[in-house]
């Protein structure tokens, strides 16, 4: 049962779940504390990855017009 819930949690990060999938996941999460924690961790990882990706996209955009891109000023401070 947890294996199917984990699959749905993962899918939820990439697309909107169908009504049946949402209902099934919600029902499982109402009974399983370990899966509730896993769902929170999936969401945290997804948000962190999106923020990281956005930061990389901004850094690349800052350096596109230079002959030697090197590190952006923001990354030099890190």
């Amino acid at each position: 049962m947890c294996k199917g819930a984990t699959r749905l949690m993962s899918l939820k990060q990439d697309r909107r779940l169908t009504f049946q999938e949402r209902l099934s996941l919600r029902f499982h999460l109402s009974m399983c504390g370990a899966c509730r924690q896993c769902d929170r961790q999936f969401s945290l990882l997804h948000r962190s990855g999106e923020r990281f990706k956005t930061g990389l996209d901004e850094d690349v955009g800052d350096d596109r017009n230079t002959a030697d891109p090197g590190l952006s000023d923001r990354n030099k401070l890190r």
Side-chain angles (χ1 to χ4, degrees):
M1 202 162 177
C2 291
K3 186 175 181 178
T6 303
R7 184 183 64 79
L8 291 174
M9 287 180 246
S10 180
L11 285 173
K12 183 174 80 166
Q13 302 308 314
D14 299 323
R15 68 167 173 85
R16 182 171 169 81
L17 298 179
T18 66
F19 176 76
Q20 182 62 41
E21 289 170 332
R22 287 191 314 270
L23 187 63
S24 176
L25 179 58
R26 204 176 273 181
F27 179 72
H28 182 81
L29 293 177
S30 72
M31 297 182 300
C32 184
C35 284
R36 281 193 301 275
Q37 180 63 29
C38 183
D39 191 39
R40 286 190 290 267
Q41 290 172 345
F42 267 120
S43 296
L44 175 66
L45 286 170
H46 184 74
R47 286 191 312 270
S48 297
E50 289 296 315
R51 283 195 298 263
F52 181 74
K53 181 182 172 198
T54 300
L56 287 178
D57 290 344
E58 289 172 1
D59 290 344
V60 169
D62 292 342
D63 295 331
R64 281 186 188 152
N65 297 323
T66 62
D68 179 20
L71 290 174
S72 68
D73 291 337
R74 191 168 99 197
N75 283 335
K76 287 177 187 175
L77 297 173
R78 290 183 188 168

